[in-house]
Amino acid sequence: MSAIRSVLLLGHTHHDVGYTNSPRLVDDAHRRIVSRVLDLCDEDPTEGDDAFRWTFEVARPVLNFLRTADEREVQRLCRLVASGRISVTGGYLNMTQLPSDAEFGAAYDRLREFAIAGIPVRTEQHGDVNGIAWGAVTAMRDAGIDRLLMALNPDHGRAPFRQPTGFWWEGPRGDRVFTWLSTHYGFGEEWGIIDGDVDRAERHIGEFLDELAARDDYPYDTALVHAANDNRWPTALFLDVVRHWNTRHPDVRMRTATVDEALDLLAAQARQADVPVVRGEWSDWWSHGHGSTARDVAVYREARSLARAAAATLGIAALRGDGEGDGDPALATVLGYRRGPVRLRSRSEIAERLGHVDEQLLLYGEHTWGSWETYSKPHSTFSHSHANAKAGFAYDAYDWARDLAVEGFFRVLASGPVDAGAAPDGTPPDAAPADGAPADATATDGAAADMIAVFNPTERERTEPVLVEIAGSRLARVVATVPAFGSAVLPVPAAPIERGESRSIETDRYRVRVDPARGGVVSLIDLRSDRELVDSAIGHGLGAVVVETVPPDSTHPMVTRNPKDFHPDHPGPEFVRTAAAGDAEPVVLEGDGFVSIAWESSVAGVPSIRTVLTLHSATEAIDLEVGLVKPERFGPESVFVAFPFAVDGPEFLLETAGAVYAADREQLPDTSKDWYSIQHAVGVVGADHGIVWGSVDAPLVQLGGIHTGEWARVLVASGGSVNSWLMNNLHFTNFQARQEGTGTYRYRFFPREGAVTREDVRVHGRDLLDPLLARQYVGPVRMRGRGGLTVEPADRVLAELRPLEDGSVRVRLRNITGDPLTATVDWDRPGVMGGRSVPLGALGVADVHLRRTRG
């Protein structure tokens, strides 16, 4: 129990990209808020307890201000930061668990603009969101940030500790950030603080201090109180609260403070009190909202894959030298979706457009999904406009990233001198003519595309299935082996042959049996070990679509009173779960190197489902695609794709941004165990075998069963099931009240004899994020085989390429192991400088820059 001797009042506005107004308007308004704060500081030049002090909760509006303000305004900001009147924080926006470590890296890279301006950034602040990816600790420390304030909103979730409190959050590699788990920032409005309602504020703050003083687990003599709410235009009204309080409570002084000043004081007291160190994922209860717009989330994930593809292809092309004489890429004459580029962008254009895609991805990964009336007025024009604007971030990123990736693909194939085995005219030595392929201007108008070109955007050789659109009329499936940062050219395969109806398929690796009445695969035998991979005790098959609804006679308060009562304080409700079923016999297709089995099913709410499982002769990967028609529906509902793996007593390893963690065992207390938002991959780890599983399009999973509404404090896994939670509408605001998600959702998994490692999970997730790039192609192929770049050790390091405006190519290296190592970046041909060896600590990150010196 501690006597409270001082109160710090933190003035800020909670940054929603939307919610209270359209995202199209709010973003610019926050930039203008910066100027208004400067004016308020200058209007109140005093330095006393009641001086106007302010914290910019996120970095984006201040960065936008720096890019548009004149020198006098920039210097005014710098002066006020230096004097302690203003704090600038390092979190780009209030992010969800959607962004990858690469997107976090792009955000933290932008903080260099603060360093150039002379603005220190020491703290990150988040509001609303119930969790942050574990790898964010590593990214924060690499960016020079070692404190985090989390003003967590406990609606639809729980805080890991009683609010407020402080602790040390230890990251995957052992470094720490001091974390202040604050109260919900919204008390600033609820208690009358930001409106200057001095009597109401005094009453609530007094009650709050009494609660703190009575706690045995609060070893601080300071209380932090927020003067904030959603997108509030800054005013100085909260200063009246300070003056009124200090007149009536001279023994407990109140003072305005910035977040930096507040955490300086609180962290010092935490060190003296020896507060706990906790380690693990801050798994976000709010992440169930990712399932509110399944189609848009899938587009966002595809967009970031295309952006990385663009950066890799354009980076290798820049190093090899492109656009040189006979090496000019084949250009199209029509701005066509399926065609090649009509012109080549300059370095500055590429850098600017890649930066724009980064911005759009970060805006989509931010936590604001919809308006404050999405539930009360789901059909309003504003609700629809807001949803359109939010989706627009994903689609904007997709359009630009795809166009850049197409250009990069054509440029890299035509880049540099002719490699051994490559024909300048683009005809592969072993290519066969396309089987009746019509003319299609994928590269040059009017030319028949008679080959498939494949590029590997990663540092290790890969053998994987790829799907390629042929002549705009069908999809071809091929398995390609492609060297690191290199290419391969394959003939267009003949169309697969339908082998008729059957419930079974088999290769030399697997035997599969499908039962449409149970919605999916009821037996999947790994023939190498004679092991059954499907848990027969589950009432439905692998790949079955399961719909979860609330009974119409439910008396749960979320149904009878308010959807906000879907909450830990009200466990439940009880759900009815129904698996899709069908009565038509499955159909088998056989192609060059693969065999597929397809079946149809339906279930109430999802009238049409087509599922295809594919086995390949050249790889152990098993692909599953679920295409479903999901009409719009209101009311609580969920849709899953089930993967009931037969793994006894499993542990689940989950890929989060920048880390892999063991579910439950490596989580902060009371963080979400009912559901998880992953990047792409899950490892199901058994005593002597396991499964490496991944989702291309949908990030949410429930593990070891379906747990919706349990609000569990401990993960109870009855088996090795991974249930892909495609969509849900279990919300009360912000997210969409309706649910629809017509589309195709893709998965890839394979069994492992022996241990499934964290590295297995990390690499599988990265490979789904960065798939092999393939398309039907006509044009010069000057690169065949390796492209020239080598990164070692390729089995322990991941590499991301990025062409920069100055002509260099950044190679960002990530050590995915828990041990330090030395990584080498080398270019095996003349004309490029910058390759070298760099030390990488455990889970460390380092950049190497390469530059072409001739041509």
Side-chain angles (χ1 to χ4, degrees):
M1 190 175 298
S2 177
I4 305 301
R5 296 185 173 87
S6 65
V7 180
L8 301 180
L9 195 59
L10 184 67
H12 63 102
T13 189
H14 173 59
H15 193 116
D16 285 316
V17 182
Y19 194 60
T20 62
N21 207 337
S22 167
R24 300 179 180 93
L25 305 180
V26 165
D27 194 48
D28 184 65
H30 276 287
R31 178 183 62 84
R32 296 178 184 277
I33 281 174
V34 179
S35 294
R36 179 57 185 153
V37 167
L38 301 185
D39 291 341
L40 288 169
C41 286
D42 287 347
E43 290 168 10
D44 178 21
T46 64
E47 293 296 335
D49 290 346
D50 60 347
F52 184 86
R53 296 180 175 90
W54 192 262
T55 295
F56 290 110
E57 185 183 81
V58 296
R60 178 177 167 83
V62 188
L63 289 168
N64 287 341
F65 171 83
L66 290 177
R67 293 167 190 152
T68 56
D70 60 31
E71 184 62 26
R72 184 185 68 83
E73 287 290 280
V74 171
Q75 290 306 313
R76 187 159 67 128
L77 171 62
C78 292
R79 172 177 53 82
L80 290 165
V81 171
S83 70
R85 297 285 296 280
I86 288 176
S87 280
V88 175
T89 59
Y92 190 71
L93 291 165
N94 292 304
M95 306 305 293
T96 68
Q97 289 183 309
L98 285 179
S100 68
D101 48 2
E103 288 152 274
F104 277 116
Y108 288 117
D109 286 345
R110 283 158 169 70
L111 301 187
R112 294 172 188 154
E113 297 178 43
F114 290 143
I116 293 170
I119 296 173
V121 177
R122 304 161 53 209
T123 306
E124 186 159 325
Q125 182 170 336
H126 275 252
D128 255 7
V129 189
N130 267 227
I132 310 177
W134 192 17
V137 176
T138 303
M140 279 188 267
R141 292 304 307 268
D142 286 346
I145 298 168
D146 61 2
R147 298 102 62 84
L148 169 68
L149 185 146
M150 191 79 160
L152 184 150
N153 181 344
D155 290 336
H156 278 205
R158 280 193 293 259
F161 300 99
R162 187 176 180 184
Q163 296 170 265
T165 194
F167 59 91
W168 298 96
W169 187 16
E170 184 173 277
R173 67 186 184 196
D175 39 12
R176 299 172 181 174
V177 295
F178 175 68
T179 301
W180 185 254
L181 176 59
S182 196
T183 60
H184 178 26
Y185 65 85
F187 291 162
E189 182 170 64
E190 184 179 325
W191 293 356
I193 297 170
I194 55 177
D195 293 320
D197 186 339
V198 297
D199 294 327
R200 183 156 60 109
E202 180 187 13
R203 182 176 71 257
H204 283 291
I205 294 172
E207 293 169 353
F208 176 57
L209 299 189
D210 290 343
E211 291 174 5
L212 293 181
R215 283 173 53 180
D216 292 330
D217 62 345
Y218 190 82
Y220 305 91
D221 66 9
T222 303
L224 178 64
V225 177
H226 292 263
N229 206 15
D230 300 342
N231 293 335
R232 283 295 296 243
W233 191 257
T235 72
L237 294 175
F238 65 91
L239 302 183
D240 291 339
V241 174
V242 179
R243 297 168 190 134
H244 177 80
W245 178 274
N246 286 339
T247 298
R248 294 173 55 81
H249 303 274
D251 54 331
V252 183
R253 297 291 293 179
M254 181 181 290
R255 169 182 169 80
T256 59
T258 67
V259 70
D260 285 334
E261 179 185 355
L263 291 197
D264 282 344
L265 191 153
L266 291 166
Q269 295 185 21
R271 291 186 185 94
Q272 293 179 347
D274 193 26
V275 301
V277 177
V278 292
R279 176 181 171 84
E281 176 82 350
W282 200 327
S283 182
D284 183 10
W285 284 104
W286 279 21
S287 67
H288 66 315
H290 302 167
S292 67
T293 52
R295 175 67 176 169
D296 298 344
V297 169
V299 171
Y300 156 80
R301 286 161 74 90
E302 185 175 4
R304 65 183 190 173
S305 293
L306 288 166
R308 292 164 66 93
T313 52
L314 290 165
I316 294 295
L319 294 173
R320 288 175 57 87
D322 63 347
E324 299 174 3
D326 292 339
D328 286 342
L331 299 181
T333 59
V334 175
L335 292 165
Y337 170 79
R338 292 187 174 94
R339 300 172 188 258
V342 298
R343 69 177 189 88
L344 304 184
R345 293 176 175 91
S346 66
R347 291 173 182 169
S348 61
E349 285 181 286
I350 289 170
E352 191 274 331
R353 285 294 95 191
L354 286 173
H356 173 79
V357 172
D358 287 341
E359 294 277 330
Q360 299 303 300
L361 292 173
L362 289 166
L363 286 164
Y364 190 82
E366 189 267 351
H367 78 297
T368 312
W369 246 249
S371 75
W372 52 8
E373 63 182 44
T374 52
Y375 266 71
S376 62
K377 300 177 182 177
H379 296 294
S380 74
T381 301
F382 177 57
S383 289
H384 282 271
S385 174
H386 195 299
N388 176 272
K390 174 69 174 183
F393 297 136
Y395 286 91
D396 189 329
Y398 169 84
D399 285 342
W400 284 108
R402 184 192 177 280
D403 202 55
L404 287 162
V406 169
E407 179 179 338
F409 191 89
F410 278 76
R411 291 177 78 151
V412 76
L413 288 177
S415 64
V418 178
D419 292 340
D425 66 357
T427 304
D430 56 351
D435 182 28
D440 177 42
T442 53
T444 52
D445 292 345
D450 60 357
M451 63 176 143
I452 293 173
V454 189
F455 179 80
N456 177 358
T458 66
E459 71 294 318
R460 63 192 70 193
E461 180 177 279
R462 290 163 63 179
T463 298
E464 287 178 14
V466 292
L467 286 174
V468 185
E469 186 179 80
I470 303 299
S473 60
R474 69 178 177 95
L475 288 177
R477 181 183 295 270
V478 296
V479 176
T481 297
V482 192
F485 297 118
S487 69
V489 179
L490 306 171
V492 174
I497 299 171
E498 185 174 314
R499 294 300 186 189
E501 296 178 349
S502 176
R503 295 193 174 197
S504 300
I505 57 173
E506 185 172 341
T507 66
D508 59 349
R509 294 174 186 248
Y510 303 110
R511 182 185 304 124
V512 173
R513 181 167 179 79
V514 172
D515 182 356
R518 293 179 61 188
V521 176
V522 293
S523 178
L524 172 54
I525 305 292
D526 183 349
L527 297 175
R528 294 165 295 182
S529 61
D530 199 32
R531 190 184 298 277
E532 174 62 71
L533 303 181
V534 175
D535 186 349
S536 61
I538 305 299
H540 48 258
L542 184 149
V545 171
V546 178
V547 170
E548 180 180 64
T549 57
V550 177
D553 60 350
S554 174
T555 59
H556 192 276
M558 74 167 286
V559 177
T560 61
R561 186 172 61 192
N562 191 321
K564 192 173 185 177
D565 289 329
F566 182 65
H567 186 274
D569 292 344
H570 305 281
E574 295 295 326
F575 288 95
V576 174
R577 298 177 181 124
T578 308
D583 53 16
E585 289 300 302
V587 175
V588 174
L589 293 177
E590 188 173 341
D592 186 10
F594 75 90
V595 59
S596 295
I597 186 167
W599 63 98
E600 295 183 354
S601 60
S602 64
V603 63
V606 189
S608 177
I609 304 166
R610 185 175 189 271
T611 307
V612 182
L613 182 138
T614 303
L615 308 177
H616 310 87
S617 60
T619 173
E620 65 182 349
I622 302 169
D623 285 343
L624 186 85
E625 298 176 1
V626 180
L628 53 83
V629 174
K630 174 66 179 70
E632 178 180 282
R633 176 179 170 178
F634 289 83
E637 176 189 47
S638 294
V639 178
F640 297 86
V641 178
F643 293 85
F645 294 121
V647 179
D648 294 331
E651 181 170 70
F652 296 91
L653 297 177
L654 308 186
E655 183 200 13
T656 189
V660 173
Y661 68 97
D664 200 355
R665 182 167 59 84
E666 292 181 311
Q667 288 182 238
L668 271 59
D670 267 351
T671 55
S672 178
K673 299 179 178 69
D674 285 9
W675 54 76
Y676 299 87
S677 180
I678 62 168
Q679 284 299 304
H680 287 279
V682 174
V684 187
V685 187
D688 56 358
H689 77 290
I691 305 287
V692 182
W693 177 93
S695 168
V696 176
D697 306 291
L700 291 175
V701 294
Q702 296 191 23
L703 305 176
I706 294 179
H707 305 292
T708 319
E710 293 178 5
W711 308 105
R713 286 191 152 94
V714 175
L715 174 63
V716 177
S718 59
S721 292
V722 177
N723 292 301
S724 174
W725 198 12
L726 283 186
M727 56 194 77
N728 72 87
N729 55 353
L730 301 171
H731 319 287
F732 68 94
T733 188
N734 187 24
F735 305 105
Q736 297 303 305
R738 65 181 60 82
Q739 185 59 243
E740 62 86 22
T742 296
T744 298
Y745 302 90
R746 298 164 292 171
Y747 305 91
R748 177 169 291 168
F749 61 94
F750 49 86
R752 274 278 184 267
E753 289 299 310
V756 173
T757 67
R758 293 171 191 260
E759 290 79 12
D760 289 335
V761 173
R762 189 78 188 270
V763 171
H764 186 51
R766 192 287 307 272
D767 288 352
L768 293 178
L769 175 62
D770 289 338
L772 297 181
L773 312 174
R775 65 181 290 140
Q776 190 180 18
Y777 176 81
V778 156
V781 179
R782 299 170 68 88
M783 180 181 76
R784 182 172 179 154
R786 295 182 60 254
L789 178 63
T790 302
V791 174
E792 295 291 348
D795 61 338
R796 305 177 72 192
V797 171
L798 305 182
E800 303 157 14
L801 305 189
R802 179 77 168 221
L804 304 180
E805 188 170 1
D806 65 4
S808 67
V809 175
R810 185 190 72 199
V811 184
R812 178 157 288 173
L813 304 171
R814 299 184 188 274
N815 179 2
I816 61 173
T817 76
D819 300 315
L821 56 82
T822 298
T824 300
V825 177
D826 188 35
W827 187 262
D828 64 5
R829 303 162 193 214
V832 171
M833 62 179 292
R836 60 189 178 94
S837 296
V838 294
L840 283 172
L843 301 174
V845 181
D847 291 344
V848 173
H849 289 80
L850 303 176
R851 182 184 298 273
R852 184 169 171 80
T853 59
R854 64 181 178 84

